[in-house]
Amino acid sequence: MYTFSGKLKTVSLVLMIIGALSIGYGFFTAPKTTQDVEQAMAHDSGHHGEEASHGAPSHGDTAHSEEHSEAEAQSHLEHLLHQGQNRPWTAFFIAAFFFLMISVCVLVFYAIQWAAQAGWSIVLFRVMEGISAYILPGSILLFLFLLASGMHMNHIYVWMAEGTFDPSSENYDAIVAGKSWWLNVPGWIIRSFIYLFVYNIFRYLLRKNSLALDTSADIKIYKKNFNLSIVFIVLFGILELFMSFDWLMSLDPHWYSQLYSFYVFASVLVSGITTIALVTIYLKNKGVLPFVNNSHIHDLAKYMFGFSIFWTYFFFDQFMLQWYANIPEEAAYFWPRLIGSYQLPFISMLVMNFVFPILILMDSDFKRVPWFVVAAGLIILTGHYIDVFQLISPATVGDSWSIGIPELGSLAFFMGLFIYVVFTSISKAPLHAKGNPFMKESEIYHY
Amino acid sequence: MSDKVIHAIYDDDDVLLKAVKEVREANHHIEEVYTPFPVHGLEKAMGIANTRIAITAFLYGITGLGFAVWMMNYMMIEDWPQNIGGKPSFSYAENMPAFVPIMFELTVFFAAHLMVITFYMRSKIGPFVKASNPDPRTTDNMFLMEVPVTGDEKELETFLTKTGAVETKIVDKH
């Protein structure tokens, strides 16, 4: 049995308070009118001239030449205003999505362990269940964000803008209007609700059965969880496709990619496994996981290594196919990332998510050293946060991005909430899942 | 020093593993153990050092990667930089994504093949190499431990029988 240490609780509460204040500060300081944007531009004028020419191709080629008219200047300001207003929302969305999907993917990994009847991972089941406890608060917060977007409180999803589907409007966009059978707010909200509902209901059922198995050791409950896991894996696989189309790909409604869902899944799955490893090592250091030996850590590190490469494979497949064919409507997606203002996060994420894991986690002996796995895990998590950042931010904030108080504040808030929820849940049940028929095998597991 | 060895034959891998431990504890040198299949934990019981073949594979992989980069940089960028379908052949970095499949494959190719060849060379396996098997039954269901005779051979033989050997024989090694 684990008791939530007071120190960690304080840390998580402090993170949450600092985070909430920073989120509030981000919303408070976001520009309200075009005058605010003009003022901010005047503040760093010398710097901005350079930025504007950088950003030019994304606004159209002629907009920034000397003779641009008053109306064009006004529309440019409005564009910048929306980007500025989007910044705190984007920061919130990135962190909310990242932490929610970490816990959902931990649940997926957990279901895979059930369905595969894995023998090694049973001693980690309670850790995985604990991490997946974050799904409920995480999905409530994310759903609130989605509702706010659907109610036009922000400009995150451009296809929601007034008049996009209306041919008589000057906002009319024929390409996006052609997708309105899928991309419309009511359908989108209903689908989002279904995704979140499925995550929550399966987490609830799997956890309930797992706890019931603890006291009764009834094989019927075991079989029930086995079947539930298979259903969950299949459902998740299907819904994940549409989830990433709806939440992330529709940020750029002109662009599409078939690999996108797998890419997003690989990114959050490796983060989820890394989180399992980090929490396991933390609990082991506390001495509450007596049966976890370095073979279990070794296995988790192998998964981190393997799925890092899995992620790289999907990243490169998607990138290289579009880079090679260079069809303008596809290449426009990669322009800000590869050449434009997102070059630094884009390249550094590749180094953190591929080069570091492959070099650090290749050696078998290193994978058994906890501090080594922790170091690699922190690099992987940072890298995948940046990955989610570069998935979302170019479409919503554009060239006005930076990593400052709103971004770090959101990250701190969700990290605090995550730590609080996860460790509260872990402290609620014994860490030894007794009734599982594979428990003995897992206890003496040795690689 | 005589060049006689004792062949102790076992019929069970668990007995063999225990025997190996006992023989080593009694400070006898084990020349070789022949088994029909991999016995898990045998090399640890015999105290054989870990293999370094994974390290060689890593180095071979880096060699392959280097070879691929050098080859394509020379052919596509330096020697004859043509415009092929608008691909930017000004520098290696600019056209790098197009080269990655070859870089990857050559890395795997070098790592895999050179590692296998290293394995063959180090364990002296080849098409016309004479089989070094002292007893044909060790390819089927028997385990054979070869211990060089130093001192009293009768004593050694009874010791080995006590560890569970079903058959012992003293052989002259040429």
Side-chain angles (χ1 to χ4, degrees), chain B residues 15-75:
Chain B
V15 179
L16 173 79
L17 261 183
K18 233 178 92 223
V20 166
K21 278 172 201 152
E22 281 169 25
V23 172
R24 287 196 72 214
E25 266 165 33
N27 273 329
H28 291 297
H29 172 69
I30 300 175
E31 187 69 39
E32 190 67 273
V33 176
Y34 297 89
T35 65
F37 52 79
V39 176
H40 193 73
L42 183 62
E43 78 281 6
K44 211 172 226 170
M46 287 173 68
I48 294 174
N50 275 341
T51 172
R52 286 167 299 185
I53 200 147
I55 298 167
T56 67
F58 180 72
L59 298 176
Y60 295 147
I62 289 177
T63 312
L65 183 66
F67 174 70
V69 171
W70 168 80
M71 177 181 78
M72 284 180 295
N73 185 50
Y74 175 71
M75 295 197 301

Side-chain angles (χ1 to χ4, degrees), chain A residues 187-201:
Chain A
W188 181 78
I189 289 285
I190 293 167
R191 287 195 303 273
S192 301
F193 182 79
I194 293 172
Y195 310 143
L196 296 171
F197 181 75
V198 166
Y199 303 154
N200 278 294
I201 195 79

Side-chain angles (χ1 to χ4, degrees), chain A residues 35-108:
Chain A
Q35 274 90 34
D36 291 352
V37 179
E38 262 183 315
Q39 243 167 13
M41 276 165 65
H43 261 288
D44 48 13
S45 51
H47 181 61
H48 185 76
E50 192 185 30
E51 288 257 306
S53 63
H54 262 288
S58 62
H59 311 297
D61 296 314
T62 53
H64 289 266
S65 51
E66 279 304 315
E67 70 273 20
H68 66 179
S69 66
E70 196 56 39
E72 270 173 341
Q74 194 55 37
S75 92
H76 176 60
L77 279 178
E78 214 154 278
H79 186 73
L80 286 176
L81 171 68
H82 284 176
Q83 291 189 339
Q85 284 175 336
N86 272 344
R87 204 179 140 196
W89 288 98
T90 306
F92 184 89
F93 183 30
I94 293 167
F97 177 82
F98 186 56
F99 281 99
L100 173 66
M101 288 319 286
I102 281 180
S103 61
V104 170
C105 281
V106 169
L107 189 68
V108 173

Side-chain angles (χ1 to χ4, degrees), chain A residues 316 319-320 323-326 358-359 362 446, chain B residues 44 58 87-88 94-98 100-101:
Chain A
F316 185 71
F319 168 71
M320 194 262 221
W323 174 87
Y324 204 96
N326 205 16
I358 206 175
L359 292 178
M362 195 185 291
H446 181 75
Chain B
K44 211 172 226 170
F58 180 72
K87 286 279 164 283
E94 273 175 296
N95 211 2
M96 205 273 290
V100 165

Side-chain angles (χ1 to χ4, degrees), chain A residues 153-176:
Chain A
M153 288 167 75
N154 56 40
H155 310 280
I156 296 283
Y157 292 95
V158 282
W159 55 269
M160 286 174 184
E162 210 70 53
T164 307
F165 305 149
D166 177 10
S168 63
S169 163
E170 64 172 32
N171 248 345
Y172 179 63
D173 187 329
I175 295 171
V176 180

